Amino acid sequence: MTSLHTTRVRRRRLGVAAAAAGLIATLFTAGPAAATPDPGDKAATGSGVSVSQQAEARAAIKSGEIPGVDEIVHSDNITHVVNVPKDALKGTNTDLVFQGKYAFAGNYDGFRIFDISNPKSPRTVAQVLCPGSQNDISVSGDLLFLSTDSSRSDNSCASTTQPATEKSSWEGMKVFDISDKRNPEYVAAVETACGSHTHTIVPERRNVYVYVSSYSPNETFPDCQPPHDGISVIKVPRNAPEKSRIVNFPILFPDGGNPGAPDNPGVSKTTGCHDITVLPSKDLAAGACMGDGLLFSIEDPENPKIIDRVQDNVNFAFWHSATFNQGADKVVFTDELGGGGAATCNDEVGPNRGADGIYDIIGRGDHRKLVFRSYFKIDRPQAETEVCVAHNGSIIPVKGRDLMVQAWYQGGVSVWDFTNSSKPKEIAFFERGPVSTAAVTTAGPWSAYYYNGYIYSNDIAKGFDVLRLDDRRTDPAKKVRMHELNVQTQPDYFDR
């Protein structure tokens, strides 16, 4: 059996006395405001912690309970192959997608294209400056899609920030032609209500449908008015992307969705979706929608239809993302407790809050139900200065097993097994020590995905990481080769 622990990392208990009266107490009493997800236009700046918490973090490093500042630790079955630091794009690194020998990395300032034909030595092919949070990214054929969820002066890549209260401000989807990877060409833009926080593509032969997730309307925002209880559906003709247009805005929450506080304290009110994952081979989608989790049919991609809806008003603060298993009989939902801005991987928060929720899909057709089985959370608590949150991950394709790699911000990268829905377990990890022992800082892997034999991670602050996983439980995945991978558009890995 492969050892999971290096000499400097062990299970530990941090901040028992100090944190309960400080940051974590605030987290639990603040309600939905504490679960406003993801950084804004710029990376979050460090906020101070108490003198006792600083001392506690330094003592934990000295004793070997946690890694030192920026120190890399990992399980024995993980190898850190290489790190490629940020270059021209200095903003927050975000999501990753893949096509052939290329990886495309989102960044709040634009996107970067890597040639990963040699994973040990990725080469930068292009860096495109096009600011606008959070630049969530997808590719399909010769098209690249980029989300803008910050109010801009116009839809150009030279735009500047502008208040959402001004009618002329712009947010939405941008489309690039990437037939020449060295010279991507901006070809289309579609404005969408409340912008585009994330998006998910449903590719077809002639068209690409784009599901746009956005939320948090405000009566003072002309282009983001309440109620905002659905998603925008954009149709993009492959041969004429300049004709891209919104074709539907399906209402997903006719009853308004989860009301949040005061009915459900600590839970975000549902005012749209944060992220959607589709499984085109099964005509299924799973929506992570603030206070609600959804299962719906995309048999007609222009008109998605809700099959089931669940809530967890005890332990989930903000439904962030979703992942199907290969058999399409399970969904993993993540909870972004603290909104990517708080230390939540510690004993005060515990194992059930800020965790993944594992749901079995029971039944057939329109009668299918999501049935909760268990929570999974990394059991390597972090220092009170380390922002840690359940974030983006992907399936590791191994027949007969449900395996996943997942990013946890400063909690690092976790590989875990949920073949038994009720007893998930971590089987590998990679992480860096705290960025600082004096301030809470947003850093660490935003996304960690398995692609053609390697794990690729986009670290918010440190850049692009390549990891190799060598373990008898995951090694069969090395034989599965993909030409294109958008993780939120899950493929059928074995029907090829």
Side-chain angles (χ1 to χ4, degrees), residues 184-456:
E185 181 185 359
Y186 183 16
V187 295
V190 179
E191 186 171 16
T192 56
C194 300
S196 176
H197 191 72
T198 66
H199 69 271
T200 304
I201 62 171
V202 184
E204 295 190 338
R205 188 167 64 88
R206 294 183 178 180
N207 304 296
V208 179
Y209 288 96
V210 184
Y211 292 164
V212 175
S213 295
S214 55
Y215 53 91
S216 294
N218 190 300
E219 291 181 354
T220 67
F221 299 164
D223 298 319
C224 185
Q225 290 285 298
H228 184 71
D229 46 13
I231 58 174
S232 298
V233 180
I234 299 174
K235 184 177 182 179
V236 182
R238 290 189 184 275
N239 294 331
E242 69 278 3
K243 296 182 180 179
S244 301
R245 62 188 179 90
I246 295 172
V247 293
N248 196 9
F249 187 88
I251 303 302
L252 304 180
F253 305 99
D255 65 351
N258 196 317
D263 293 358
N264 299 315
V267 178
S268 291
K269 178 181 179 180
T270 299
T271 59
C273 289
H274 178 275
D275 208 351
I276 292 169
T277 292
V278 298
L279 191 60
S281 62
K282 303 293 185 182
D283 290 329
L284 277 179
C289 302
M290 304 183 74
D292 294 270
L294 299 179
L295 181 69
F296 51 99
S297 166
I298 57 167
E299 186 173 359
D300 177 357
E302 287 192 23
N303 297 281
K305 182 175 66 173
I306 301 299
I307 296 173
D308 194 26
R309 169 180 159 195
V310 290
Q311 297 178 355
D312 180 346
N313 295 319
V314 175
N315 287 312
F316 259 48
F318 189 97
W319 297 66
H320 176 275
S321 54
T323 303
F324 288 99
N325 69 334
Q326 178 61 31
D329 58 4
K330 299 175 187 176
V331 182
V332 174
F333 289 102
T334 69
D335 176 19
E336 195 182 38
L337 176 69
T344 65
C345 296
N346 50 40
D347 290 311
E348 288 67 48
V349 175
N352 295 337
R353 299 208 70 195
D356 298 324
I358 304 167
Y359 287 75
D360 285 350
I361 302 174
I362 305 299
R364 295 182 179 181
D366 291 347
H367 299 290
R368 283 171 285 190
K369 298 292 182 183
L370 292 165
V371 179
F372 174 77
R373 294 304 187 204
S374 67
Y375 298 107
F376 171 78
K377 188 175 182 180
I378 59 171
D379 60 351
R380 292 170 285 106
Q382 310 298 300
E384 299 306 322
T385 58
E386 292 185 274
V387 168
C388 181
V389 69
H391 225 244
N392 295 352
S394 76
I395 289 296
I396 299 176
V398 175
K399 286 185 177 180
R401 285 185 179 269
D402 295 325
L403 302 167
M404 186 172 175
V405 58
Q406 185 177 1
W408 287 81
Y409 277 26
Q410 288 192 73
V413 173
S414 176
V415 179
W416 58 289
D417 186 329
F418 63 104
T419 306
N420 182 338
S421 302
S422 299
K423 295 182 178 180
K425 59 183 179 180
E426 184 175 77
I427 63 173
F429 73 88
F430 168 91
E431 70 167 290
R432 290 180 170 90
V435 173
S436 168
T437 58
V440 178
T441 306
T442 298
W446 178 287
S447 299
Y449 298 145
Y450 190 92
Y451 179 70
N452 291 354
Y454 289 83
I455 293 170
Y456 296 91

Side-chain angles (χ1 to χ4, degrees), residues 84-96:
V84 183
K86 292 181 182 180
D87 190 13
L89 305 177
K90 303 299 185 183
T92 298
N93 279 334
T94 59
D95 213 0
L96 291 169

